[in-house]
Structure formats: C-alpha cells, structure tokens
Amino acid sequence: MLDDFLVRAALAAVGTAAAAGLLGCFVVWRRMAYFGDATAHAAILGVALSLAFSMSIIWGVVAVAVVMALLIHRLSGQGQAVDTLLGVLSHGALAAGLVAVSLLPGQRIDLDAYLFGDVLTVTRRDVFLIWGGAAVVTAVIWRHWQGLLTATLSPDLAYAAGVDPRREQLILTLLLAIVVAVAIKVVGALLITALLIIPAATARGLTRTPEAMAAAAVALGALSALGGLRAAIAFNTPVGPSIVCVAVTLFAVATISRKFIANGS
C-alpha cells in the first residue's frame, strides 16, 4: 500500500495534522504562537546542518529545534520581554538558516520544499518517522494531561497541586520540536505554526471541554490535511499552503455558523 505516493502523502499529512492538532490546543491555551514560529524557523538551520553533515533531515531539524526550544525556555523570564526575545530568535534563526543553506558547496537546494512543504515526495521512512513522532507526542500528552492542564490554568494552582509548571512548559517545548521536525516536509517551516493554531482555534469555538477540544482539533487537522491534498491535486497548487487554506476555510465556516446560531437564538 505504501508504494503509492498519494497514499504516503495522505498518511504523512494526517499523521502530522493529528500531532499538530493535539499539541496546538496547548499552543492556543498558552498563547504560544510566537514560540511555535521561533522553533519552526529554526528548522531551516537544521536543514542546512543536516545537508552539510550528510545526515537525515528530520534528525537535524529535531536537534536544532530542541536546542532552540531549550534556549527559549532558559532565557524566558531573564529580563527581556518574551515577545521581543521570540522575535529576535525566530527571525535570527530563519536568516541564519537561509544564509547557511546558500553557503553549502556544490548543492542545489529547493528551498520552497522546506519553507512550504512537499508532502508528495515523502518516502516510506518519512511516513514511519512522522507517525512515530505523532505517537510520541500523543503518549506524552496523555501521560501528562492533568499536569499540563493544571499548569496552563494557573501556575499557582499547579504548585499547590504538586506540579512544577516550568517542567510542564519544558515538556511542551520539546514536543513542539518533535512536531516541527515531522511537519517540515508536509507544510514547511513557514506554515507549521498555522497547522498548530488554526484547527485548535476552530475546535475551541465548537466544544466545551478540554478533552473534546483536543479530539476536535485532531479531527479538524486531519480533515484539513486530506482536503488540502485533494485540492492541491485538483487545482495543481502547492500542498502545504492548500492544507492551511482548507484549515482557514473550516475556521471561517465554524465562526460564521456560530454567529448565525447565536443571532438566531
């Protein structure tokens, strides 16, 4: 079955969307969009290092994304405004990555594939790595669900419950690095944050409990992935941006429907 490139693309897109949708709930609740951007932009530097040292792209991106996540975690609360810090690290990492890629000797690199994704070129190995990463993200969030929710609700409440909010934050940053690594081939470094935020934001307006929101975000992410893949094939458009466009459309439909229902009642 995995010999069909469309099947591989669909499996890769759904696996990425599922992991991003689940983690995206915490990104939305904690307002970590800038954090996601900084980690995602660092992925380009990981691509350059991977190519320079002839190693797997995914492992290189994981390594750099983890370093970026740990750096942000360490520097947060050190006197500099968090949004300023994230802006500096995000754009600095992206610029450094683009410069590093241009300096690689003797290699012709399609930057669009890393900036906007190229899911149609995923291999069997990529599919297994993506679903492996999604399984890790799901298992860790399942194991730490209550602690993550408590720390998200209130750091003081977390301390009172015996939960270290800094530890829970670190767990989220490391999971974000994994999602960035597995998503780079699907939606690219510039659109990863959209896949994290939009399905979760859509689910937030449709559900009443955190568990329901997480389940809805995963379903909406998978629907966006399959719909975007179908639209890309039908209209000959890039797959990554098409997935995000479908996600935005679902968000718009949900928002407008909610307003009509509210006005009608």
Side-chain angles (χ1 to χ4, degrees):
M1 183 179 70
L2 292 182
D3 287 336
D4 189 328
F5 80 98
L6 285 178
V7 173
R8 293 197 303 270
L11 288 173
V14 170
T16 299
L22 186 56
L23 184 60
C25 293
F26 289 96
V27 172
V28 169
W29 291 331
R30 288 173 170 256
R31 298 176 181 174
M32 292 172 61
Y34 278 143
F35 186 94
D37 272 338
T39 308
H41 289 174
I44 296 299
L45 184 56
V47 169
L49 293 176
S50 299
L51 295 174
F53 293 99
S54 301
M55 60 187 292
S56 169
I57 296 293
I58 285 185
W59 295 119
V61 171
V62 165
V64 173
V66 165
V67 170
M68 174 62 79
L70 293 176
L71 180 62
I72 295 171
H73 179 76
R74 180 71 181 86
L75 293 179
S76 296
Q78 299 295 314
Q80 192 71 257
V82 175
D83 58 344
T84 302
L85 174 66
L86 291 176
V88 171
L89 292 176
S90 173
H91 298 294
L94 178 60
L98 293 174
V99 170
V101 167
S102 70
L103 292 176
L104 290 174
Q107 297 201 47
R108 295 178 59 85
I109 301 166
D110 180 14
L111 271 179
D112 285 350
Y114 298 111
L115 292 174
F116 304 107
D118 192 6
V119 70
L120 295 178
T121 65
V122 295
T123 63
R124 283 188 180 198
R125 184 169 176 274
D126 292 330
V127 172
F128 287 123
L129 285 174
I130 287 170
W131 277 94
V136 169
V137 170
T138 302
V140 172
I141 289 181
W142 178 272
R143 173 70 177 81
H144 293 269
W145 179 259
Q146 198 57 53
L148 289 168
L149 277 181
T150 304
T152 299
L153 181 63
S154 168
D156 292 335
L157 182 61
Y159 280 122
V163 176
D164 183 357
R166 290 280 292 174
R167 183 195 66 191
E168 303 304 317
Q169 174 73 17
L170 179 60
I171 289 172
L172 287 178
T173 61
L174 295 177
L175 292 181
L176 189 56
I178 294 174
V179 170
V180 165
V182 301
I184 193 167
K185 272 206 167 184
V186 178
V187 291
L190 296 185
L191 297 174
I192 291 171
T193 308
L195 199 59
L196 284 164
I197 295 173
I198 299 173
T202 307
R204 190 176 195 174
L206 301 174
T207 56
R208 295 182 178 273
T209 66
E211 292 78 10
M213 177 175 165
V218 170
L220 288 165
L223 182 60
S224 299
L226 293 176
L229 181 60
R230 180 70 183 88
I233 294 171
F235 300 108
N236 193 28
T237 55
V239 178
S242 298
I243 291 173
V244 174
C245 285
V246 172
V248 171
T249 301
L250 292 175
F251 176 80
V253 169
T255 302
I256 294 170
S257 300
R258 243 183 10 258
K259 288 188 180 296
F260 273 117
I261 293 172
N263 292 335
S265 61

